[in-house]
């Protein structure tokens, strides 16, 4: 009993130490998951993440690596009874694929097919698994990529290029037969955004913040939630006012703000990309900064239940939850919307208004014409005659 108590106390001290070390990455790692990650990760894992941060790895990439590493450690412990080995043997990589990409039809006939019940229950207990279906192939590939990156950064060579793994992935993806889901089932177009903004119309700080966040995220080209959460006051620059109608010299002037984007999903700090805010989004954003007395640091911050503004930035997940909460207050089904709906909604709205795709992409900063054009294609189909031959 005494030995067990000492072991438990030692484990608790180790978790507390790792949590304190992770505090050094508070600008990168999700604050609300730091204690969970401290319990899942090993000392070597934390040392690797701190090394990657010191090497200047992008915040979004490091955040994804930390999240994937926590999941892999938890899965491996539940599936094998041991911590994640470095490098991972080929058999463990194949086991990971088999546990996450499986045939639903065969699973209905054989409960032993796919992820074992005890492993699934353990991941659910740690709030790491929600879906009851096979994982999305993209998620499995991303976690394998993270695993490979972390292996290389430890100076090791893994079996991630093994023909057996590539073959298993190809066959498993085909067997799992999971249709690709949109990140947001419905786009947040201007009509939807108007309802959501009405739900946060008010003078409370939280209302002003949410209005500024939603308007800025949409009007700046549908910024990703990670970009919204990472926005700093130092990234904002006042520009000369512009005319509401560029072709009318008598058109009233509108405030204009430039937003400098650093390293994001598709840009690097050297790209020096920027987007513009014009009109109402600028006015509301400046009101939020003034009311919250924010002069530097993160633009969008947490607000506690007493209305106090925190020094820490919102997490990307918080941006998503804010949109869902405001959708619910607006009488909309929050399950149909996510923060990505602001991005898809921006392009959908641009297509509906006849704005040329290249012009919209200058603001959205999509690198893939194919991906951006998909929103235009959907809008054209709905507005076109081809689907109206019999009505």
């Amino acid at each position: 009993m005494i030995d067990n108590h000492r072991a438990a106390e030692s484990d608790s001290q180790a978790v507390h130490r790792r949590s304190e070390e992770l505090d050094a990455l508070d600008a990168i790692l999700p604050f609300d998951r730091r204690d969970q990650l401290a319990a899942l990760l090993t000392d070597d894992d934390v040392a690797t993440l701190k090394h990657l941060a010191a090497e200047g790895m992008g915040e979004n990439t490091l955040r994804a690596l930390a999240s994937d590493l926590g999941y892999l450690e938890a899965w491996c412990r539940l599936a094998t009874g041991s911590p994640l080995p470095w490098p991972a043997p080929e058999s463990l990589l194949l086991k990971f694929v088999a546990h996450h990409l499986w045939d639903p039809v065969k699973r209905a006939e054989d409960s032993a097919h796919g992820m074992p019940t005890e492993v699934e229950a353990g991941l659910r207990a740690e709030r790491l698994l929600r879906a009851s279906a096979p994982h999305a192939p993209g998620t499995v590939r991303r976690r394998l990529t993270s695993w490979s990156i972390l292996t290389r950064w430890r100076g090791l060579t893994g079996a991630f290029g093994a023909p057996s793994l590539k073959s298993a992935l190809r066959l498993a993806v085909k067997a799992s037969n999971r249709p690709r889901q949109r990140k947001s089932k419905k786009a947040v177009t201007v009509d939807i955004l108007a309802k959501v903004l009405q739900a946060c119309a008010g003078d409370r700080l939280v209302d002003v913040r949410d209005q500024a966040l939603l308007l800025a995220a949409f009007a700046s080209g549908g910024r990703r939630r990670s970009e919204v959460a990472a926005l700093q006051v130092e990234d904002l620059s006042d520009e000369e006012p512009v005319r509401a109608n560029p072709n009318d010299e008598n058109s009233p002037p509108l405030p204009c703000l430039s937003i400098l984007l650093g390293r994001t999903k598709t840009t690097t700090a050297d790209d020096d990309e920027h987007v513009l805010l014009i009109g109402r989004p600028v006015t509301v954003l400046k009101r939020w900064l003034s009311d919250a007395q924010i002069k530097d640091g993160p633009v969008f911050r947490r607000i506690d239940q007493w209305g106090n503004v925190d020094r820490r930035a919102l997490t990307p997940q918080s941006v998503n939850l804010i949109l869902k909460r405001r959708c619910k207050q607006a009488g909309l089904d929050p399950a149909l919307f996510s923060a990505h709906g602001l991005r898809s909604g921006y392009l959908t709205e641009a297509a509906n208004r006849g704005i040329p795709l290249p012009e919209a992409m200058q603001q959205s900063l999509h690198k893939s014409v194919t991906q951006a054009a998909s929103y235009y294609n959907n809008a054209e189909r709905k507005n076109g005659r081809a689907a109206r031959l019999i009505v």
Side-chain angles (χ1 to χ4, degrees):
M1 287 291 292
I2 294 177
D3 289 342
N4 289 340
H5 177 72
R6 287 176 177 171
E9 186 176 3
S10 177
D11 288 344
S12 177
Q13 291 174 347
V15 170
H16 181 69
R17 183 185 67 255
R18 287 194 292 271
S19 183
E20 288 183 334
E21 291 179 359
L22 288 172
D23 280 342
L25 304 175
D26 64 348
I28 299 171
L29 298 184
F31 180 81
D32 51 351
R33 288 199 60 207
R34 198 159 315 137
D35 289 342
Q36 183 187 32
L37 286 173
L40 295 173
L41 303 180
T42 66
D43 290 343
D44 286 343
D45 291 337
V46 174
T48 299
L49 293 174
K50 291 178 71 175
H51 172 70
L52 292 175
E55 289 292 314
M57 178 167 282
E59 291 185 6
N60 295 336
T61 301
L62 188 57
R63 189 180 295 116
L65 285 175
S67 179
D68 287 342
L69 181 55
Y71 181 88
L72 290 168
E73 285 283 10
W75 168 80
C76 187
R77 175 170 44 79
L78 291 165
T80 69
S82 302
L84 200 63
W86 301 93
E90 188 175 330
S91 59
L92 187 63
L93 301 179
L94 292 171
K95 183 189 289 286
F96 181 79
V97 173
H99 280 198
H100 293 84
L101 294 173
W102 36 269
D103 184 348
V105 175
K106 189 173 181 180
R107 177 68 173 263
E109 301 170 351
D110 179 9
S111 60
H113 176 69
M115 185 179 290
T117 305
E118 62 275 13
V119 177
E120 182 178 339
L123 291 173
R124 291 190 188 283
E126 296 190 36
R127 296 180 291 114
L128 295 171
L129 181 65
R130 292 192 297 270
S132 57
H135 274 48
T139 301
V140 174
R141 289 195 178 98
R142 191 199 72 226
R143 284 178 172 150
L144 286 171
T145 299
S146 295
W147 203 345
S148 175
I149 290 172
L150 290 163
T151 299
R152 292 199 306 272
W153 273 93
R154 288 169 179 256
L156 303 169
T157 302
F160 297 93
S164 61
L165 181 61
K166 293 180 179 179
S167 178
L169 263 175
R170 185 176 64 254
L171 294 173
V173 167
K174 184 177 180 180
S176 65
N177 193 31
R178 176 175 173 142
R180 184 174 181 181
Q181 300 291 324
R182 285 190 176 273
K183 295 178 180 179
S184 181
K185 293 181 180 179
K186 293 195 67 174
V188 181
T189 47
V190 166
D191 56 333
I192 298 293
L193 182 61
K195 295 178 181 178
V196 177
L197 289 172
Q198 187 59 39
C200 48
D203 294 326
R204 297 181 305 165
L205 273 178
V206 68
D207 295 325
V208 179
R209 181 201 66 187
D210 291 358
Q211 291 175 52
L213 185 154
L214 294 168
L215 279 167
F218 181 91
S220 59
R223 300 270 53 89
R224 299 176 183 90
R225 61 183 185 176
S226 59
E227 295 168 357
V228 174
L231 191 61
Q232 302 282 309
V233 172
E234 292 76 12
D235 300 327
L236 308 178
S237 300
D238 283 313
E239 301 284 343
E240 290 293 326
V242 297
R243 292 192 294 267
N245 182 352
N247 299 318
D248 181 1
E249 294 184 358
N250 297 318
S251 183
L254 297 175
C256 181
L257 197 67
S258 175
I259 300 178
L260 179 67
L261 296 175
R263 191 177 298 177
T264 68
K265 184 178 179 181
T266 57
T267 65
T268 66
D270 295 333
D271 285 333
D272 200 27
E273 298 277 19
H274 73 279
V275 293
L276 296 176
L277 279 186
I278 294 175
R280 181 186 174 194
V282 177
T283 303
V284 177
L285 179 58
K286 287 191 171 184
R287 180 189 172 188
W288 154 244
L289 293 174
S290 175
D291 290 357
Q293 299 181 18
I294 297 174
K295 298 180 180 179
D296 53 40
V299 171
F300 297 113
R301 308 184 182 193
R302 300 162 182 247
I303 300 175
D304 65 24
Q305 59 183 323
W306 297 283
N308 299 312
V309 180
D310 202 311
R311 66 176 181 83
R312 294 187 298 265
L314 291 172
T315 65
Q317 177 64 3
S318 295
V319 174
N320 196 47
L321 294 175
I322 287 171
L323 174 64
K324 285 183 173 291
R325 182 172 65 249
R326 294 302 188 175
C327 282
K328 184 177 181 180
Q329 292 173 358
L332 304 169
D333 183 356
L336 299 178
F337 300 94
S338 73
H340 190 267
L342 293 164
R343 189 159 176 78
S344 61
Y346 173 83
L347 285 176
T348 301
E349 189 68 35
N352 289 336
R353 297 191 183 195
I355 296 173
L357 178 59
E359 184 179 342
M361 288 179 64
Q362 285 182 339
Q363 186 76 341
S364 70
L365 297 182
H366 273 84
K367 296 298 183 183
S368 168
V369 174
T370 302
Q371 183 179 10
S374 67
Y375 300 108
Y376 273 63
N377 292 338
N378 288 336
E380 288 173 356
R381 287 172 185 164
K382 291 180 179 179
N383 297 328
R385 296 175 295 172
R388 291 177 167 83
L389 297 183
I390 299 178
V391 293

